[in-house]
DNA sequence: TAGTGGTCTAGACCACGCT
DNA sequence: GCGTGGTCTAGACCACTAG
């Protein structure tokens, strides 16, 4: 890996043009493309910083970028490795189905009785604190947990009913529609634990509202690891161009 | 705004539990919910850092989080303000239509003749460097540019044809399908200029492949500001539950 | 020109995974 | 224990905006 960066000179009297960490990012990107293969470990941060002649904090700013872009993977106590391509996760409806249908790849992790949190209360159009069932689920791809879901639905017919019963109760209703939104967020303490990340890691927050009988019947808040995931949508009519599920060499 | 943070004591001999910047983020989030309204300017970073008894770098780490979550907006030379709720941008197909159809909200910004970059060449399944038309477009919402698109398509019938002609040529073909993917990225120098952001700002990268005549006919790379945007999908059958534009209590 | 956020430095210590 | 990445400090200077 080269040591020279100087593509924007930033001599005294010249406009700095691009910040150092951005030049570093570019240099590292090129190096990754040219000289590194997936899974390979990079030199440690102190060494890299010295090699590029910058402070460690500046180098870290560049590595932060590359991690955000899914090019690098950093693990405390281990090192920094070249990340595999992002896993493509299909989030298209694949027909109008309730969660927990036939080929649903999610795994139930638990069931809790909760009062509707503000955001959920708003989406379900019920008063906040309304008793709800909270079904926890996790999505595993390529051997790693890539997403965590909190599914809020009306409580099952009996207390202490299993999560499967809650999902079955939903499936008993005709599903009229669903809408989804995707936005950037950061993992809270609980989520970061489930996703094997540190608190504050960038995540893609997917909110799904399921409607039945003319009203919102369930709300799902799914949190995807932004570093390792690519969300794919196979839209109507695209059967001729199936979306591939991600791969890891 | 309160000064006390200490929810995880971190006394000597105690496990730090949560890093300071995370506690700060929580404290600031609560303060934003309780005591601030949209558009209000926060005290400057040096003042805030002093008030919380941390170094400015640590405070900035917390502010970075909040900006990533779309809660704050920072402008150099001006200050930090409370951000409005994210703008909901519909990215669902709204029927199978080519770009540039009737009610397409995008605005053409330019047309260039380019050779296919590697990523585009792969998606279109043509050799890299194949001559293509590159149509630049921008999406404006709430008075601000929220997304930039690069649309790659076969060159128009004549050289120097207008962007409209390139789009019209696409519309002449029957659209068989499209698929989309969403992932996290960072804005390059050019994009950051167009989106009025600094290089490296987090963006949502939406890739769309349009298929016609049994093959991919065009590829669109759209870059959305992750701080201000929420991508919404109105899925089939959800006509009864239109997606609202974002709100925050 | 004053005040803001953005960049950068040179250190220190901590938490974690491995050996 | 050792080496890794993660956190934190206390400064400095720069780029930009606005009065």
């Amino acid at each position: 890996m080269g040591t020279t960066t100087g593509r924007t000179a930033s001599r005294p009297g010249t406009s700095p043009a691009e910040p150092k960490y951005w030049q570093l990012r570019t240099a590292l990107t090129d190096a990754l493309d040219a000289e590194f293969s997936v899974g390979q470990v990079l030199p440690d941060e102190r060494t890299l910083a010295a090699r590029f002649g910058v402070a460690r904090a500046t180098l870290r700013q560049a590595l932060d970028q590359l991690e955000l872009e899914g090019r690098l993977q950093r693990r405390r106590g281990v090192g920094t490795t070249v990340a595999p391509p992002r896993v493509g996760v299909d989030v298209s409806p694949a027909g109008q189905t309730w969660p927990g249908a036939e080929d649903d790849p999610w795994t139930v992790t638990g069931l809790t009785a909760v009062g509707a949190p503000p955001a959920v209360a708003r989406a379900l159009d019920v008063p906040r604190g309304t008793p709800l069932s909270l079904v926890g689920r996790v999505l595993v791809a390529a051997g790693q947990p890539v997403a965590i879901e909190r599914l809020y639905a009306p409580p099952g017919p009996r207390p202490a009913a299993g999560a499967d019963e809650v999902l079955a109760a939903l499936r008993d209703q005709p599903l009229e529609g669903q809408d989804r939104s995707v936005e950037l967020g950061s993992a809270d303490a609980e989520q970061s634990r489930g996703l094997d990340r540190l608190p504050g890691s960038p995540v893609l927050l997917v909110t799904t509202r399921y409607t039945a009988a003319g009203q919102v019947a369930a709300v799902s808040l799914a949190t995807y690891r932004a570093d390792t995931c690519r969300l794919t949508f196979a839209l109507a009519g695209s059967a001729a161009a199936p979306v591939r599920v991600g791969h890891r060499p």
Side-chain angles (χ1 to χ4, degrees), chain A:
Chain A
M1 187 183 308
T3 300
T4 55
T5 37
R7 59 178 56 211
T8 357
S10 184
R11 299 180 304 278
T14 311
S15 73
E18 288 190 334
K20 259 187 200 176
Y21 77 89
W22 188 257
Q23 300 176 30
L24 264 181
R25 187 207 81 112
T26 307
L28 288 168
T29 299
D30 294 345
L32 288 179
D33 288 334
E35 311 167 31
F36 284 84
S37 52
V38 169
Q40 193 170 351
V41 300
L42 269 62
D44 73 272
E45 297 182 348
R46 291 162 180 86
T47 303
L48 277 179
R51 192 175 302 182
F52 283 103
V54 299
R56 190 178 157 220
T58 303
L59 175 84
R60 279 182 59 80
Q61 223 178 328
L63 294 183
D64 286 345
Q65 289 281 340
L66 292 169
E67 197 179 23
L68 190 82
E69 294 167 31
R71 300 295 307 264
L72 293 180
Q73 200 162 352
R74 292 193 279 185
R75 274 178 303 170
R76 169 151 53 178
V78 178
T80 302
T81 58
V82 181
R86 281 182 171 141
V87 175
V89 181
D90 188 19
V91 290
S92 57
Q96 290 290 97
T97 57
W98 289 102
E102 280 302 317
D103 51 354
D104 194 327
W106 291 79
T107 307
V108 170
T109 55
L111 171 67
T112 330
V114 298
V120 174
R122 222 176 312 126
L124 281 172
D125 197 24
V126 298
R128 73 177 56 179
T130 302
L132 293 175
S133 290
L134 166 56
V135 178
R137 303 201 299 170
V138 64
L139 179 65
V140 176
Q144 295 292 332
V146 293
I148 285 181
E149 185 196 39
R150 287 174 293 182
L151 178 69
Y152 294 88
R158 309 152 186 250
D164 291 337
E165 293 182 41
V166 175
L167 296 180
L170 289 178
R171 283 196 299 273
D172 282 345
Q173 313 172 54
L175 176 60
E176 288 172 358
Q178 46 184 307
D179 58 72
R180 239 159 229 185
S181 75
V182 179
E183 62 188 311
L184 181 58
S186 53
D188 63 31
E190 179 202 347
Q191 292 165 343
S192 58
R193 250 178 285 118
L195 294 175
D196 190 27
R197 299 260 64 196
L198 295 169
S201 328
V203 293
L204 296 173
L205 185 57
V206 179
T207 307
T208 309
R209 300 190 304 164
Y210 298 90
T211 61
Q215 61 181 5
V216 180
V219 169
S220 152
L221 304 178
T223 302
Y224 291 78
R225 281 183 61 156
D227 55 344
T228 59
C229 285
R230 200 181 74 251
L231 307 183
T232 65
F233 296 82
L235 302 178
S238 58
V243 175
R244 298 175 299 255
V245 169
H247 51 102
R248 207 187 292 262

